Amino acid sequence: MQCPMDTAASGTSPVLQFHSNADESTSHSSPLPTLIERSQRHCCGDGIPGEFPLAVSPSIVLHVLSACDLDPKDLANLEATCTFFSKPANFAPNFALSLPELAAFDMCQKRTMFKLMKQEDQECLKQRCGGSWKHVLKYILVREKNGSRVIAGPGHSIVISSNGDVYSFGANCSGQLGLGDSEDRFRPCIIRSLQGIRITQAAVGSRWTMLVSDTGSVYAFGKDNFRGAEVVDDAHIQITTPKIVESLKGVFVVQAAIGGYFSAVLSREGRVYTFSWGKEERLGHSSDPSDVEPRLLSGLEDVPVAYISAGNCYLLMLAYQPNGMSVYSVGCGLGGKLGHGCKTNKGMPKLIEQFQSLSFKPVSIAAGTWHAAALGADGRVCTWGWGHTGCLGHGDEEYKAVPTLVEGLRDVKAVHLSTGEYTTFVVAENGDVYSFGSGESLVFQEDDEAEEGPDFSTPSIVSSLKALNKKVVQISPTNASYWLNSEMGHPHTFAVMDSGDLCAFGGGIRGQLGVKLLEGVEKVSVPMHVPIVLN
C-alpha cells in the first residue's frame, strides 16, 4: 500500500487531486529514498542553509497537509512561522495562494455543501468569513464539532450512523419515526425509504422530526406542523414517511432545530430561517402564528451563523468571526435566558456582550428548554436563564440574566456540553461526565427514605457512567417541556462513547431507550446499551 508521499513521488494519482504544480516536472524521476537522503543531509547541515527539504516537490507537502486534516489554526501557524509556507505556491486555481491556504481549500472541497457551490458563491462565502479559505474551513468545522448524530426527543429518538443511515425508535403516534405507520418501536429500526440518501443531521420535536441531507435537502415527518407542540390542532395531517420540505427547496440547509413554539434551519451561507412564532415580531417577523413558511431572520446579514440551538421559546446562534465566535439570541427573555441582563423579549437577534467581559471565547452553545449554556475555547463553562432545580450549577435555584461561570467546574477542562429541560451535562477532556439540575433526568440513585432529596445544584460526576470504564464524548438529553409531553413518559438521555457504543438512561415506556423495559418499569437510572454502533 502506498502512502500519499509514495504516490506523489512515483507519479501515480495522489490521494487528493485538486491541484497541480505548474513549475514542477511531470516525470517525478527522483525516487522517495533520494528525497529522504536529501532531507537527512539538510538536517545534518550538509545542504544550503535555510533550504526546506521538501521544497523540491511542493505538491507532496500540499497533499500531506490536505490529507492530515490539519486544524485551521495549525495551518495559520505554518504561514506565520515559515517563509516556505507563507510564499505563493504557484498552484491553480490561484497561483498567489500559499500551501496552507490551498490545503484549507482542498479540505473544504471534501464537504459536499462546499463542493456543490458555484465558484462565485464559494468566493462570496470566503469574503463573509473574513477573506481566507482557512476561515471558511473553520466556519464549517464549528458546525460539525457542535453537531450530534444522536437526538433524544420527547418520546422518540433518532440516531444517524457514520454512513448517513437513520434509525428511529420510541413513540410513533403521529408517524414521527418515519417508518410508514404509527406503531411504537422498542428497538432501533432503519428508515429504509431514505437509503441511498446520506443524512447528516436531525432535529426532533413533539411528534415531529426533521432530517437534513448532505445535499442540503430537508425531510420531515410526523405531525404536519412547524408551529410547535403548543398548537392544538386535531385536524393535523400525519406524515408517516419522510417527505421533502418543498418550501426550502431554494435553500441549501446544513442544520435544522426544533423549539417548543417554532422550527428553524441554517443555510450553508450562514443565514437563519424560522417557521412560525412570528406574532409581535418574536422571531424577527410579524407573521401569523399559523404561518408555516420559512422566514429569513433579519439582523445578521453581515455575520455568518455557524450553528443554531433552539429552546422552548428562544433561539441561540453561534456566529463566526475571524477573531473568534460570538453568540446572538432572539425570542422570549423571561428568566433572563437571552443573556442580556434583563427579562425582556427580543424580536431581533442581539449580541450577548457578557462574554467579552469574561474574556470568554465561546465555541459551543446549548439552548435548554428554559436555560442555556456555553463552552469556552479554554474549557470553561457558562450558564444562564432559569435556575430551577439547580440546572445552572451555581448552588442555588436563582435565575441568571447574563452568562455566569460555573465555579464548580473551575478545575475541569470541558470539551462538550448539553442542556435539557432542567438539566445540564458537561463532558470533561478525560471523558468524565458532570451533571447538575433535575435529578429525574440524571443517573443518580435517590434515597427514598432520606428526609431531604439530594442536592443537584452543583456539578457532580455521574458515577454510573464512569463505572462503564468507557470514555464518553457526547451527551444528548431530552430538550422539551415535560408538561407538554407527559404522555410520552419521563425524559431520557443518551451517552456516546469514543468507541462508537451508545448507552441510554431515563424514561423508556414508549421505547425511546431502544430497549423494552420490564413490566411496570417506567425509567432506568443505570445506563443501558443501545444495539447500534455509530462508527
Side-chain angles (χ1 to χ4, degrees):
M1 178 181 294
Q2 291 179 314
C3 70
M5 278 192 175
D6 294 331
T7 56
S10 62
T12 59
S13 298
V15 176
L16 298 174
Q17 301 182 70
F18 299 129
H19 303 99
S20 60
N21 188 355
D23 297 335
E24 187 179 2
S25 172
T26 57
S27 64
H28 298 284
S29 58
S30 299
L32 185 59
T34 302
L35 290 177
I36 297 176
E37 181 181 354
R38 178 184 173 95
S39 175
Q40 291 172 339
R41 287 201 306 270
H42 290 172
C43 292
C44 296
D46 188 27
I48 301 173
E51 183 180 355
F52 192 85
L54 290 177
V56 294
S57 184
S59 63
I60 295 178
V61 183
L62 175 58
H63 293 315
V64 170
L65 294 179
S66 300
C68 289
D69 286 333
L70 292 181
D71 186 272
K73 183 178 180 180
D74 295 327
L75 294 175
N77 287 338
L78 287 175
E79 284 184 335
T81 58
C82 181
T83 56
F84 173 80
F85 286 111
S86 62
K87 66 182 181 180
N90 293 318
F91 283 129
N94 189 332
F95 290 88
L97 296 181
S98 65
L99 284 173
E101 185 73 355
L102 289 169
F105 177 78
D106 285 350
M107 284 186 271
C108 290
Q109 286 278 10
K110 292 180 181 179
R111 277 74 180 179
T112 304
M113 63 151 279
F114 183 85
K115 185 166 56 177
L116 295 179
M117 296 179 78
K118 296 179 181 178
Q119 184 175 350
E120 56 267 30
D121 294 331
Q122 291 178 351
E123 287 291 338
C124 180
L125 179 60
K126 176 183 176 182
Q127 296 308 314
R128 280 172 57 81
C129 290
S132 166
W133 294 123
K134 294 187 293 295
H135 290 319
V136 175
L137 177 61
K138 186 175 181 180
Y139 163 75
I140 295 172
L141 290 176
V142 168
R143 188 189 72 258
E144 292 180 351
K145 291 178 179 178
N146 274 277
S148 174
R149 293 187 283 122
V150 180
I151 311 295
H156 74 290
S157 306
I158 297 292
V159 176
I160 304 172
S161 70
S162 58
N163 62 2
D165 289 334
V166 183
Y167 295 83
S168 62
F169 44 100
N172 195 30
C173 49
S174 297
Q176 60 263 45
L177 298 186
L179 300 172
D181 56 40
S182 56
E183 298 295 323
D184 292 356
R185 297 295 198 282
F186 292 85
R187 293 185 63 83
C189 298
I190 192 169
I191 303 180
R192 300 196 179 280
S193 62
L194 288 173
Q195 288 188 299
I197 300 171
R198 186 181 180 87
I199 299 299
T200 57
Q201 193 264 336
V204 178
S206 179
R207 305 168 187 81
W208 181 243
T209 304
M210 297 170 68
L211 303 175
V212 180
S213 75
D214 66 341
T215 56
S217 297
V218 178
Y219 297 82
F221 44 95
K223 182 176 67 173
D224 185 16
N225 192 346
F226 282 97
R227 291 169 287 173
E230 87 294 348
V231 178
V232 178
D233 183 5
D234 295 331
H236 71 263
I237 300 173
Q238 292 185 9
I239 303 173
T240 60
T241 56
K243 179 182 178 182
I244 197 165
V245 179
E246 297 288 340
S247 60
L248 287 171
K249 276 196 169 182
V251 179
F252 194 111
V253 175
V254 293
Q255 188 200 347
I258 299 177
Y261 291 80
F262 65 95
S263 298
V265 298
L266 175 66
S267 77
R268 64 181 171 185
E269 295 81 14
R271 298 184 175 91
V272 180
Y273 297 78
T274 60
F275 297 83
S276 191
W277 218 51
K279 187 179 180 181
E280 299 174 358
E281 296 187 352
R282 287 177 295 196
L283 286 178
H285 51 83
S286 302
S287 63
D288 187 88
S290 62
D291 180 25
V292 293
E293 291 298 311
R295 306 278 180 175
L296 179 64
L297 183 61
S298 57
L300 292 172
E301 289 80 5
D302 298 325
V303 181
V305 174
Y307 184 77
I308 58 176
S309 185
N312 190 62
C313 52
Y314 70 107
L315 181 69
L316 295 182
M317 292 152 284
L318 185 63
Y320 179 80
Q321 293 175 337
N323 59 349
M325 304 295 157
S326 57
V327 181
Y328 290 78
S329 62
V330 65
C332 174
L334 291 178
K337 55 186 176 287
L338 294 185
H340 303 304
C342 60
K343 300 180 183 179
T344 56
N345 299 345
K346 299 296 179 184
M348 299 291 285
K350 182 178 180 180
L351 174 69
I352 299 179
E353 299 178 351
Q354 178 68 7
F355 292 122
Q356 296 177 0
S357 301
L358 297 172
S359 297
F360 186 96
K361 297 182 179 180
V363 294
S364 181
I365 54 174
T369 310
W370 315 109
H371 74 291
L375 172 65
D378 57 3
R380 292 185 294 169
V381 173
C382 283
T383 59
W384 66 97
W386 291 108
H388 184 62
T389 73
C391 61
L392 300 183
H394 302 304
D396 54 36
E397 295 191 31
E398 298 297 319
Y399 78 90
K400 296 291 187 293
V402 293
T404 305
L405 290 171
V406 180
E407 292 297 329
L409 294 171
R410 176 181 292 273
D411 299 325
V412 175
K413 184 175 182 181
V415 295
H416 170 76
L417 53 74
S418 59
T419 49
E421 184 173 20
Y422 296 117
T423 309
T424 306
F425 288 97
V426 174
V427 180
E429 189 176 37
N430 65 355
D432 286 343
V433 179
Y434 294 80
S435 58
F436 38 96
S438 174
E440 188 174 274
S441 301
L442 307 181
V443 201
F444 290 109
Q445 296 289 347
E446 298 185 30
D447 186 354
D448 295 333
E449 298 181 359
E451 293 183 4
E452 296 184 3
D455 181 15
F456 298 133
S457 63
T458 56
S460 300
I461 288 182
V462 182
S463 56
S464 57
L465 283 175
K466 191 175 182 65
L468 297 177
N469 293 319
K470 294 182 179 182
K471 186 176 182 179
V472 177
V473 293
Q474 275 192 345
I475 294 285
S476 177
T478 298
N479 179 13
S481 178
Y482 177 71
W483 65 271
L484 287 173
N485 301 280
S486 57
E487 74 276 13
M488 299 297 179
H490 300 284
H492 66 295
T493 300
F494 289 111
V496 181
M497 314 300 176
D498 65 349
S499 62
D501 291 336
L502 183 63
C503 291
F505 51 90
I509 61 173
R510 301 297 293 269
Q512 57 265 51
L513 296 179
V515 295
K516 191 173 181 62
L517 301 182
L518 297 175
E519 188 71 26
V521 177
E522 295 186 356
K523 59 180 180 177
V524 294
S525 58
V526 177
M528 304 179 67
H529 176 70
V530 181
I532 294 179
V533 177
L534 293 176
N535 295 340

